Amino acid sequence: MNDPKPAVLGAEAASEDMRSRRRALLAASGAHAVHDGLTDLAYVLLPIWQAQFGIGYAMVGLLRGAYSGAMAGFQLLASRLARRWGRKRMLVGGTALAGMAYLLAGQADGLAVLLLALALGGLGASVQHPLASSLVADSHEAGGGSRQALAQYNFAGDIGKTLIPALTGLLLTMASWRFSVSLMGLLGLAAAGRRPGCCGG
């Protein structure tokens, strides 16, 4: 008589593997949505900051460059640092830093603080693309379906780019830009707080 235990154990292992892959995809997709949304939010806010602080186009470009420059520059180091501290820890820290950056921007009373906030936001956002995408690819490598998972991950970023700036634009019709920006910062912190048990490595 055949022992059913190996089949049961195999089914349980396959089920746990699928749950693990699903958690990794949800975590990475959530990070992608939040980070891409906060990144594109700057385009909504730059004209408001220009009017608020009375700055010219050159300074607007500098503000935008502080964010994108920090984000692009640190991506080169993100994977190397993740090998030391782990992808999960880096993703949580980067998401939290992006959220805190927008909280700081919401309290900015001058260009120096705003410039610092945007640089910190770019620094926090830099970890998302290299680490979250590799998390999805690695978690789906053994079980297959990595292309479909990466497509879902990329689509989540598009959702974030649409929803977060749109939500902020709606908020700006009812509340101050400081309140709206601070609320988006809290969203980033909340997203970081939901990350800890979701993914490995």
Side-chain angles (χ1 to χ4, degrees):
M1 185 174 181
N2 292 332
D3 187 356
K5 287 184 179 180
V8 172
L9 292 175
E12 290 178 350
S15 177
E16 177 58 32
D17 181 62
M18 182 171 291
R19 284 195 294 269
S20 177
R21 282 184 283 158
R22 188 178 297 120
R23 286 195 299 267
L25 178 58
L26 287 173
S29 297
H32 198 186
V34 170
H35 279 283
D36 277 18
L38 292 179
T39 296
D40 278 24
L41 179 56
Y43 292 111
V44 175
L45 297 170
L46 285 172
I48 297 173
W49 288 332
Q50 184 179 20
Q52 173 73 34
F53 297 107
I55 58 178
Y57 291 116
M59 184 56 69
V60 169
L62 181 61
L63 290 174
R64 180 58 191 161
Y67 193 104
S68 58
M71 181 172 66
F74 194 69
Q75 280 187 23
L76 301 174
L77 298 174
S79 297
R80 183 178 301 177
L81 292 176
R83 286 195 291 269
R84 175 179 295 181
W85 292 325
R87 285 181 297 194
K88 182 181 78 171
R89 193 172 297 172
M90 290 287 291
L91 276 172
V92 171
T95 306
L97 182 59
M100 287 187 291
Y102 271 96
L103 282 175
L104 179 61
Q107 309 304 314
D109 57 359
L111 287 177
V113 176
L114 191 57
L115 193 63
L116 174 63
L118 290 174
L120 290 175
L123 196 64
S126 66
V127 302
Q128 188 277 131
H129 277 110
L131 301 187
S133 59
S134 67
L135 174 67
V136 172
D138 290 351
S139 64
H140 286 74
E141 183 178 14
S146 60
R147 290 184 179 180
Q148 182 179 0
L150 286 170
Q152 294 173 9
Y153 159 78
N154 286 327
F155 181 62
D158 293 335
I159 292 175
K161 290 178 182 180
T162 301
L163 288 183
I164 290 180
L167 177 60
T168 305
L170 181 61
L171 282 171
L172 288 169
T173 66
M174 301 178 288
S176 70
W177 71 264
R178 293 183 184 278
F179 175 83
S180 302
V181 169
S182 298
L183 193 61
M184 292 303 105
L186 291 175
L187 174 65
L189 289 176
R194 289 183 62 84
R195 206 73 62 222
C198 62
C199 47

